[in-house]
Amino acid sequence: MVRAVRDSLVKGRHLAVQAGTGTGKSLAYLVPSIRHAIANDTTVVISTATIALQRQLVDRDLPRLAEALKPVLGRKPTFAILKGRRNYLCLHRLSGPDPVDDADQLFDPFAISAMGRHVKRLHEWSSDTDTGDRDELVPGVPDSAWRQVSVTARECLGVSRCPVGTDCFAERARHEAGRADIVVTNHALLAIDALENSTILPEHDVVVVDEAHDLVDRVTGVATAELTSAMVATAARRCGKLIDQAVADRLEEASEGLDMVLTDAPLGRWESTLPAPVAGALTAVRDATSACRTGLGPERKEDPDHATSRKLALALLDEVNETSARLLAAFVEEDPAKRYDVVWLAEQGPDASRGRVLRVAPLSVGGLLRERLFGPRTVVLTSATLTLGGSFDALARQWGLPAEKPKPEGAELKDGKEEVDPIADADVPKWSGLDVGSPFQHERAGILYVAKHLPTPGRDGLPKAYLDEIAELVTAAEGGTLGLFSSMRAAKQATEALRPRLEQPILCQGDDSTGLLVKRFAEDDATCLFGTLSLWQGVDVPGRSLRLVLIDRIPFPRPDDPLVSARQRAVDSRGGNGFLTVSATHAALLLAQGAGRLLRGMDDRGVVAILDPRLATARYGGFLRASLPPFWPTTDPEVVRAALRRLATKPS
């Protein structure tokens, strides 16, 4: 992998590397990256999906490498971590006026009191912190409190105009990053820097994307916008005393009109056009925000507090205006497969006070990535899970890259549909893939058990047969089970049904913070931990405490998911297989991540048990199985229970 990364940087050719747990992939990309940065007097950006990996790189891997490489390189390599501005404490906002923008808290004295306590704590913390980085505040504070002491890039006054600009934590972090050989950041900031043509990250010609299996979801999240009537009302309040009251009232009326039409509008994805009343309300919002923006006038040399109020108002006005305009333009293209955006109406918030939110997201981010990320620089993508169905092509297509090896003319999928590659341009970026394997002998260390005898899962919770199967497997293993469920409802159902039946303790996600639950699970090899999505990718428990990974069903996305259904339809319209390209790829990625929880150390042994019989019986089962580590397979429940009993009695 070191050689492949080095060659990629030298030749300027993109590279995708699958490197299993325990291969040392961080060192394998850091060493050639550091060498490239120093030899070319440039910066290399390392992008990750999780805070845990950022901390591992900055606190452990990079300090050790810097010391080890200093004699070889002639100087000590430098590194820094950089996050979005919202992640840093804003000293000016901290000392300025303290507006509470959350509409649901304006008339709640308990919420306001709690907010005050959190903000007071942040004031005290500001005197102790050297970085102002929110992730260093333990325990943390709610988002609503953090918003009172932080600003987005749009809300920032700028270092030259801010009274405390010289002490700004965000500017200090950017300054340090600008001088570093290696800058560690996250996928969201990488996306903002690339997609919005921002100059957040220092000048760089190489990006290493670790945890690259998450890249498309994180970029989609950054490119997704939403609009609520509460946002519009907040924008009107922020304008308040800054503009003519009649103009602000017009925006307030537009927010009320939007609230009324969204209440009556159909939930879900809108396929053909905006409902006429919604289009009218959005037009009113767009025009009213434009009027308010005009009313704010040009920037003047006001006092800092007035300048801050103006900047906060302007930032939200622009966001509301741009989202309204984007929603209104979403259906200009008549062909749904050629549209840039997908639009849907959803509900959010607690059951007692659910509100409606309009969301707009890109149908695909492949074109954006191809143009803005892969076009200007060399990119190395790596993860323990990049090959799905035995090939890099599924993820490459999502990244906007062509198939690694073009299919022969007339090649067909199993259902008889020819897969049409949407990336047919001869000028697409060139790339290569490499699977460096794993240090684990999967076929000797683990068993893949598919419960072929069970009924196909339905929509009414876990059938009794599934609960019985789980009880038998956990009993045979004497605990040590990580239960990965497709929904929180299923995880809670299994927990409540099995706690009275089993001797082994069962922890359930939501009983406590996930970090503490994982810690308790790791400390007792008889304990079980049941949960959902964050556990599929976020648990690292080597040793006997984890000897059975149990997956209740193939984790297909919900069929009514607006973005998934739109993307499937777009692939189908091009002559491809939307289900295989979108839903099955999503499921394969999660299955591979979930199965990867089993072997985390060289002495680990265990079973991955998948209760969904479709993995063995459905036509797409072969694609999903080919995405999993090569464990020894069986569908015999007696064989797997006997193996678990042997593992349970094996001395530590």
Side-chain angles (χ1 to χ4, degrees), residues 192-224:
I192 292 169
D193 183 80
L195 304 188
E196 299 182 5
N197 290 320
S198 303
T199 54
I200 302 169
L201 297 171
E203 192 74 25
H204 59 286
D205 63 351
V206 170
V207 174
V208 177
V209 181
D210 202 342
E211 301 174 309
H213 60 275
D214 263 344
L215 180 63
V216 167
D217 284 346
R218 300 302 173 105
V219 173
T220 299
V222 167
T224 298

Side-chain angles (χ1 to χ4, degrees), residues 370-651:
R370 174 184 163 189
E371 178 186 351
R372 307 284 180 84
L373 181 63
F374 293 102
R377 53 189 62 85
T378 303
V379 182
V380 175
L381 306 113
T382 186
S383 169
T385 310
L386 289 184
T387 61
L388 302 176
S391 167
F392 287 98
D393 290 349
L395 286 180
R397 189 181 294 111
Q398 294 184 8
W399 298 328
L401 299 176
E404 186 180 14
K405 295 179 181 177
K407 292 182 175 66
E409 191 172 348
E412 292 186 347
L413 296 175
K414 290 184 179 180
D415 66 351
K417 282 188 175 181
E418 183 178 345
E419 183 67 50
V420 178
D421 193 339
I423 313 297
D425 189 342
D427 296 327
V428 296
K430 301 296 188 293
W431 69 283
S432 58
L434 172 68
D435 185 349
V436 299
S438 166
F440 302 125
Q441 293 183 301
H442 288 93
E443 65 281 354
R444 294 188 177 184
I447 295 174
L448 174 64
Y449 166 58
V450 181
K452 189 177 178 180
H453 62 284
L454 291 179
T456 301
R459 297 184 178 181
D460 299 324
L462 295 171
K464 181 178 182 300
Y466 277 53
L467 295 171
D468 292 342
E469 184 79 18
I470 295 171
E472 290 172 357
L473 291 169
V474 172
T475 299
E478 296 183 13
T481 301
L482 176 65
L484 303 177
F485 293 85
S486 54
S487 68
M488 202 63 235
R489 175 187 168 198
K492 290 180 176 178
Q493 180 192 352
T495 301
E496 292 169 3
L498 296 177
R499 271 177 175 162
R501 293 177 58 176
L502 299 176
E503 296 179 4
Q504 292 78 21
I506 300 177
L507 306 174
C508 186
Q509 192 174 2
D511 291 346
D512 205 332
S513 73
T514 300
L516 287 175
L517 290 174
V518 172
K519 184 173 184 291
R520 288 170 60 189
F521 172 61
E523 289 172 349
D524 179 13
D525 64 12
T527 293
C528 304
L529 175 58
F530 290 177
T532 185
L533 195 58
S534 62
L535 298 184
W536 286 71
Q537 303 183 70
V539 175
D540 186 6
V541 179
R544 278 180 50 78
S545 292
L546 202 172
R547 49 194 179 273
L548 171 61
V549 173
L550 192 148
I551 297 174
D552 69 327
R553 64 189 297 162
I554 298 171
F556 291 120
R558 289 172 56 96
D560 59 352
D561 181 288
L563 204 46
V564 168
S565 59
R567 287 174 171 174
Q568 285 191 189
R569 179 170 294 189
V571 174
D572 287 337
S573 71
R574 292 195 298 264
N577 185 323
F579 171 76
L580 191 67
T581 301
V582 181
S583 289
T585 294
H586 172 94
L589 190 57
L590 269 181
L591 275 179
Q593 288 286 311
R597 301 308 96 199
L598 182 66
L599 303 183
R600 312 302 293 180
M602 293 304 296
D603 296 325
D604 288 357
R605 300 288 184 273
V607 171
V608 174
I610 300 177
L611 306 186
D612 192 333
R614 293 175 295 177
L615 192 66
T617 60
R619 284 185 299 174
Y620 51 76
F623 171 77
L624 297 178
R625 292 194 303 274
S627 306
L628 296 171
F631 296 118
W632 185 80
T634 183
T635 58
D636 189 331
E638 284 300 326
V639 168
V640 82
R641 286 197 289 266
L644 286 170
R645 284 192 287 268
R646 288 194 298 273
L647 278 174
T649 57
K650 186 177 179 181

